[in-house]
Amino acid sequence: MSAKSPFPLHLPPRLVETAVAAALAEDLGSEGDITTDAIVPAGATGEAAIVARQDGVIAGLDLAEAAFKALDPKISFVRVVQDGGEVASGGTIATVTGKTRALLTAERTALNFLGRLSGIATLTAAYVKAVEGTAARISCTRKTTPGLRAFEKYAVRAGGGVNHRFGLYDAVLVKDNHIAAAGGLAQALERLSARSGHLVKIEVEVDTLDQLKQALGFPIDAVLLDNMDVEMLKHAVKLVAGRVTTEASGGVSLETVREIASSGVDLISVGALTHSPRNLDSSLEWKA
Amino acid sequence: MSAKSPFPLHLPPRLVETAVAAALAEDLGSEGDITTDAIVPAGATGEAAIVARQDGVIAGLDLAEAAFKALDPKISFVRVVQDGGEVASGGTIATVTGKTRALLTAERTALNFLGRLSGIATLTAAYVKAVEGTAARISCTRKTTPGLRAFEKYAVRAGGGVNHRFGLYDAVLVKDNHIAAAGGLAQALERLSARSGHLVKIEVEVDTLDQLKQALGFPIDAVLLDNMDVEMLKHAVKLVAGRVTTEASGGVSLETVREIASSGVDLISVGALTHSPRNLDSSLEWKA
Amino acid sequence: MSAKSPFPLHLPPRLVETAVAAALAEDLGSEGDITTDAIVPAGATGEAAIVARQDGVIAGLDLAEAAFKALDPKISFVRVVQDGGEVASGGTIATVTGKTRALLTAERTALNFLGRLSGIATLTAAYVKAVEGTAARISCTRKTTPGLRAFEKYAVRAGGGVNHRFGLYDAVLVKDNHIAAAGGLAQALERLSARSGHLVKIEVEVDTLDQLKQALGFPIDAVLLDNMDVEMLKHAVKLVAGRVTTEASGGVSLETVREIASSGVDLISVGALTHSPRNLDSSLEWKA
Amino acid sequence: MSAKSPFPLHLPPRLVETAVAAALAEDLGSEGDITTDAIVPAGATGEAAIVARQDGVIAGLDLAEAAFKALDPKISFVRVVQDGGEVASGGTIATVTGKTRALLTAERTALNFLGRLSGIATLTAAYVKAVEGTAARISCTRKTTPGLRAFEKYAVRAGGGVNHRFGLYDAVLVKDNHIAAAGGLAQALERLSARSGHLVKIEVEVDTLDQLKQALGFPIDAVLLDNMDVEMLKHAVKLVAGRVTTEASGGVSLETVREIASSGVDLISVGALTHSPRNLDSSLEWKA
Amino acid sequence: MSAKSPFPLHLPPRLVETAVAAALAEDLGSEGDITTDAIVPAGATGEAAIVARQDGVIAGLDLAEAAFKALDPKISFVRVVQDGGEVASGGTIATVTGKTRALLTAERTALNFLGRLSGIATLTAAYVKAVEGTAARISCTRKTTPGLRAFEKYAVRAGGGVNHRFGLYDAVLVKDNHIAAAGGLAQALERLSARSGHLVKIEVEVDTLDQLKQALGFPIDAVLLDNMDVEMLKHAVKLVAGRVTTEASGGVSLETVREIASSGVDLISVGALTHSPRNLDSSLEWKA
Amino acid sequence: MSAKSPFPLHLPPRLVETAVAAALAEDLGSEGDITTDAIVPAGATGEAAIVARQDGVIAGLDLAEAAFKALDPKISFVRVVQDGGEVASGGTIATVTGKTRALLTAERTALNFLGRLSGIATLTAAYVKAVEGTAARISCTRKTTPGLRAFEKYAVRAGGGVNHRFGLYDAVLVKDNHIAAAGGLAQALERLSARSGHLVKIEVEVDTLDQLKQALGFPIDAVLLDNMDVEMLKHAVKLVAGRVTTEASGGVSLETVREIASSGVDLISVGALTHSPRNLDSSLEWKA
């Protein structure tokens, strides 16, 4: 159920530092942690564990660690689980040792990142497990939390999923409205070829088999088979015959995903992975 | 079920503009919307409606509007529902008229904001409705999405809830670990009084009635009754006797919240409002 | 006369680094220190002392240290006095040893911060001393230098004063104009209660005893007794009878503050602490 | 007593907007003006006057206007006095008409800027008046408030003074420590000439007439005569004989400045103009 | 020779505004244009023309216009040529009418952008013309000026060229060092397929025909034929037989490009387009 | 031919870090280096050399080093040549040892900076060599790449040239249009003297000897002799007679510069140094 990447997963430090600094600033304002600063001596040190309160797949440890280190660079953050690894309810995810002030002040920021990303990884892993044995891979969409897309896409990978395009800039996805505005699929794709670089892939959304046939007449890389039932998906896969990547979307849930996968599509994209995961519940428990 | 504020709800423009600019930058990168720019003529105009695909309470229209206006300052954005208002599945939330390119390019950013904030407002409203007729108000926590706290707190208000402190900076909340680090509640509260300004409120978390009695011996403003069952909550409310605000937390769900409210507490805080709402499903439907 | 905080005073590193970087950028532009860079070899090292040229209370050493360290991370900055401590004219505040270029280039930035904050601490300490033995504490206002509020509020604490609210966001202060715009005190306070979180304190400004009586009929936390003479203040304190915090403002000077304090008010707020302190004069004297 | 510039004084809009946005953010945090937003209806409008509470010279109206306009772009801000102009106690500086919320929320930010800059302009004008009829001009130094240098230098001009260099980057000022580090004045100035552009001026600080004679043997543009008494200043001016600009500094006060000017120096620089002005007292008075 | 895009070329306003603001800040510092502000009355207006001093293809008019408008929002900027259009030496590119101060102060910033981008467009157009009639398109590389990549890629399109990938993030390009570090081409491409999204294209650099054959055994989208002579290129094109895109690079100049194109490659990439163009010479000529 | 500065040349770390972070962000986007991250193990290390592919003078090593260190703080970057030093084609400029991922990912950013700045230094050195033995120094202009001015001015110094003003803010340069707008040279210079600080130099552009004579009647520091032929330049130098700095501009090329220098002018300014240098070609060659 865990991720298949050949290397341990890590987030780019520059993205992590920027996001953590912004999150801490949001929580600390100009005054800082007025409870902790008034009550806890600057020199006091302590040890705590981040403990899972439910089963799941972990993602976001780099962000959690950075939150503590931003307040005490000498903190020791020891990972018991790695990003992409599973944890059982009650299990320790990581231990943190250092200045008590830093532990108390960064706690919520660290857990807010970890909880959301692990929630996404856990939900992704459930979908991946549901299609095990089929050819289908599970993909995210652009329905991500504003400001967190790179992290949420990473959490999908940690859960064993694959990433769709990152934004409007790195691949072409032609939808009905584009075709209508261009006056037809042919015109749309001609305009694209006049402008796109040779390293940009082109995917076209189709709702019917007729549209699919038309689209396959053009040099495209993938088709998005939107809101088709399984029978139609199977027809579509047969029609495509391996010439381009096939992606199914619409009406996907943990209950329906395996049947959709049985159609033979290459990819099933699930918006809920990033727009409606449940946070993975965890807490910071003090040891000393 | 809707919000009780005497005035229409609006987000501060400066926060909206900054967040929308960052979200658009995340989606557009350096290249921009390479599909739309290649296919749709710059001068083309269109009209579309944001339509709800489920019942709910709306929040975040300022952000949605700003996303479209950032790309076409002359766009017309007409609200059918206001923030804090209810919408039924299939109902129109707002209509947008202007440059087709702006409509297509800003669509996902606008819906990502609107979906998340409306999801929070809808979930909050469900909790508020569940305790209708009791004295309890529904409150959020600091378990918010990093970078979006001000917006998510606003969505809670739109759903009829009230806000807890915004961060570590604007109120004191003394927890067990603080008390332990200070060597006792008395010392913790003495240190606080030596430093806190006269306009800062102090809340103390207690797990038992003995702790509660001890806390009430100090000049505090509120108590957080953590993980108590309803019987203990009733005892606690009786003990407090209106001297300070009482807040219940822990084990709160839509199933349990009414019983918790029946204890007579002033406030019930629910982390899930902001950390695990389901996005409100909506889509941009083209009219012309 | 010095500050009463149980712990040594320190500014949050992230605020210090940002402010120092901006101040150095302002002084260095794109060209840098064209005098020092042309004249002093990169490898030269030196030692200097920051020496007070007048008696006072020190605040801002974190900023001074950060200014030097921004240009030479290995600089040694040894504090002879701590923030909140007193220095006599001619006394050494701190010594600095490291790259000569860094010492010369950062000198003015370090002293500009230290002089302003120590000026505020010194003035605050004079007010605090003037009311010694009374129940009154000395408080700042929002009349601070744009961009430096967190530092100036800190300097007030270093001088033994307490902080009023940090901004318009962390507490409610209802003034005449608010009441007029709402159509009366009752309406104003009702609107507030519909929206304010349970951890937000409410203070109301009153100019007369009648207004005071009316205000006390509402659930408020503090009253601002504006521009009252000492007799009226005494009446007001008697009327309040300890139910809410009493704050006097208007017409406060080092000559009048003790008499105002004798009225029994809890707090005297002084705008001049932050809007019109005299810089504490100091200089960087070379030793080698 | 007012400024001599042939054109009305204005600050660069881009600097004004950035500084005002930062100052408002500091005052509003994430929550905004929780008093005004809860009490005053969004649609309410009002009119107010900025009234001086003491005599003085005005500076900073662009900043005050921008603070109001940032919150209500349609506000009408009418200047009765211009920057560099005089106002008498009780006189109106400007009137502001627009959204009541914007007026109340921006009030403190507007007055904080206006008070500080007008305080500088007023103090500068007092020095300028004190030396009227002599050849000496009054100049500021780099002893400015971190973050506000461009504005404070502007306020000095509004008061009739002239600006010294803006930072370490736009002119060379060789001090004792530079000469010591270089191993002598000759070496210092040779190193400079190897690197300085042809549009960079060079000033040398001297403490004695011997140093002055030595300095005049090099191609320099100005001498800073530091801490010399009036007799020595006269000798120095005679020695220089118009070849370079002469600047006196040290021990300058409103009591001593005219005598110093009588020495015939071209320039007298006064650190206190920007490091220790008293705010010009003003208030926002409501008309309707 | 001009660009083939079906729509007029425009740069995204948000990128233009940010870049122009930074460029103006670099030129204006804290003091602003001290020459113009002192000499030219604020109200004076004028008219000027941007005139080409050599033949070329224009790019960057949005940036030039934005530079003037940043200083005078009401300026009239009338384009005689559009981006991608040709101009002859002595021809007018655009006229500008508005505040004299804005014209004089923004002149250099406007021309710096316009000169560089038009230089790139002109050089690109020369390469495009040189291969006219062949199947080869001219492409840029990542050898761009730090900070200006999006603009320089745009200028290449304005000159009739196409864009290679925008950065390391939007397409895969496997070079020798990657293959060596992975322990062989097979391993490198397996690792890629485990991680890449379905909308990411993969190009592999090859130096020999043997490498080419090996690469073609994997599911790739393009091959970069590096530093091959024309004979080898022809062999390579024949080997590829239209299965993937062929790109030639290395040793490309205006003298050699047509011969390279004759090999039948799809694409010729030229680093010099963006790293070593000559600025297109132009000047701002005053009319009134 | 190399630079004459008495000290090794270094760029201010704060400018370097900011520019390098921006350049890396431009190249990495949100996804990072998707080729290297997928193929190269995180722990792999390697060694490479930056090798020149043509003769030239080096500038920008601080930027190149910072690019690698931003991705691997422990990288070892050993300089074989220093900024301002010469390298021959095939010679090693520096060696880099550390994480393979950091080497591959930062390569292009490092070389883009190094190539451009070394190109400027090399071109400057060629002009400096061409006027060797004359009194003329070679100067840059404000025709720099937006965003890179401080670095490009530094590269000119590395090539043995001197810097003109850095922006519109640090010196006055009066051109024809200024004089026209002011209604004559006298008025322009009077207005300047009313406003300029005593450390600001004034240069006046003249096209004829009559203009030159008129300008010399005012207290100015330099004259810009624009587009004069050598005979006229000689007359101008004689007329000036050492009273102010003389600068020639217009029609300067490597072919003409020596003859222009023979006129006796102090300075020859060359826009092409920064607007149209050819990148110095170099590459990162792997050793292990």
Side-chain angles (χ1 to χ4, degrees), chain A residues 30-31, chain C residues 11 15 117 120 140-157 163-170 274, chain D residues 23-29 108-109 112:
Chain A
S30 300
E31 298 92 326
Chain C
L11 279 162
L15 297 185
L117 295 200
I120 290 172
C140 53
T141 65
R142 280 171 48 246
K143 295 180 178 176
T144 56
T145 308
L148 300 184
R149 185 169 289 169
F151 303 129
E152 296 189 342
K153 294 254 169 189
Y154 167 88
V156 167
R157 295 200 304 272
N163 290 154
H164 214 286
R165 59 177 179 166
F166 264 65
L168 295 164
Y169 58 86
D170 59 340
T274 53
Chain D
L24 285 170
E26 189 184 47
D27 207 20
L28 290 168
R108 176 54 32 223
T109 296
N112 281 349

Side-chain angles (χ1 to χ4, degrees), chain B residues 185-227:
Chain B
L185 186 63
Q187 267 191 290
L189 290 173
E190 274 160 24
R191 287 178 186 171
L192 273 168
S193 68
R195 206 184 134 174
S196 300
H198 74 292
L199 287 182
V200 174
K201 282 203 177 174
I202 295 175
E203 180 164 8
V204 179
E205 179 184 318
V206 297
D207 301 325
T208 67
L209 297 179
D210 278 351
Q211 284 183 321
L212 173 59
K213 285 175 203 162
Q214 194 193 358
L216 289 171
F218 294 91
I220 62 175
D221 301 286
V223 286
L224 176 59
L225 308 166
D226 196 36
N227 279 316

